[in-house]
């Protein structure tokens, strides 16, 4: 298994970060260099760096696992999962690439959602959905009435 720090030691040139243009809407953000963000003294020793990577992986796995458990249970499951991915991204290139892809897709979706035509369509569909749900609840209450599942003594 090759670590990114091994390639750096062998003389491979790291990718230069993309300079920031200051325009957030253009989609070009400042992207950091891919690879480990471990301190230099840790990267200098192979066994220490491997131990560091194992520790980061275990902590990230615990956070992602907690997020997966929170998906069906109450809690911010997706936020915790992406937090675990961010922990992994401090050390692993694959996690950095996944987070960049996710950030790009979320930004694109947010831009599409802010389009006036899409917003108008979403408002219309939401209103139609609420009217249908209200009609169904009204028919149910008219036909069966409201029966509370508990008895209150008088």
């Amino acid at each position: 298994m090759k670590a990114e720090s091994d390639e750096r030691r062998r003389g491979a040139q790291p990718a230069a970060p993309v300079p920031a243009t200051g325009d957030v809407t253009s989609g070009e953000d400042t992207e950091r260099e891919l690879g480990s963000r471990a301190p230099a003294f840790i990267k200098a020793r192979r066994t220490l760096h491997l131990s560091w990577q194992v520790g980061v992986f275990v902590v990230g796995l615990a956070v992602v696992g907690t997020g997966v458990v929170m998906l069906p249970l109450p809690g911010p499951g997706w936020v915790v999962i992406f937090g675990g991915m961010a922990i992994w991204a401090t050390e692993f290139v694959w996690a950095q690439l996944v987070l960049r892809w996710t950030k790009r897709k979320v930004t694109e979706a947010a831009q599409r959602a802010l389009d006036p035509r899409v917003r108008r369509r979403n408002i219309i569909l939401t209103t139609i959905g609420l009217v249908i749900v209200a009609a169904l609840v009204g028919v149910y209450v008219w036909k069966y009435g409201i029966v509370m599942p508990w008895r209150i003594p008088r």
Side-chain angles (χ1 to χ4, degrees), residues 77-91:
W78 285 110
V79 173
V80 175
I81 288 173
F82 288 123
M85 289 295 294
I87 291 171
W88 279 338
T90 63
E91 196 57 36

Side-chain angles (χ1 to χ4, degrees), residues 5-137:
S5 60
D6 293 340
E7 292 172 8
R8 218 182 262 164
R9 253 187 260 132
R10 290 188 187 115
Q13 294 296 325
V18 177
T21 60
D23 183 15
V24 177
T25 60
S26 69
E28 292 190 27
D29 295 337
T30 303
E31 291 189 1
R32 298 175 71 181
E33 178 181 323
L34 293 176
S36 175
R37 290 179 183 48
F41 74 92
I42 290 177
K43 287 195 259 186
R45 294 166 186 85
R46 183 160 174 76
T47 56
L48 189 57
H49 190 227
L50 187 60
S51 301
W52 177 271
Q53 286 181 326
V54 168
V56 167
F57 183 78
V58 168
V59 170
L61 186 63
V63 173
V64 168
T66 303
V68 169
V69 168
M70 285 185 190
L71 287 176
L73 298 176
W78 285 110
V79 173
V80 175
I81 288 173
F82 288 123
M85 289 295 294
I87 291 171
W88 279 338
T90 63
E91 196 57 36
F92 303 107
V93 174
W94 61 267
Q96 293 168 1
L97 294 174
V98 167
L99 281 180
R100 283 184 184 179
W101 178 84
T102 304
K103 182 178 178 184
R104 190 171 54 249
K105 291 298 180 183
V106 167
T107 303
E108 290 172 6
Q111 290 299 322
R112 281 194 310 266
L114 292 175
D115 181 22
R117 289 178 294 157
V118 173
R119 289 188 67 182
R120 192 171 24 255
R121 181 198 67 201
N122 289 345
I123 290 171
I124 290 170
L125 289 175
T126 302
T127 304
I128 291 171
L130 288 174
V131 166
I132 290 171
V133 168
L136 291 173
V137 168

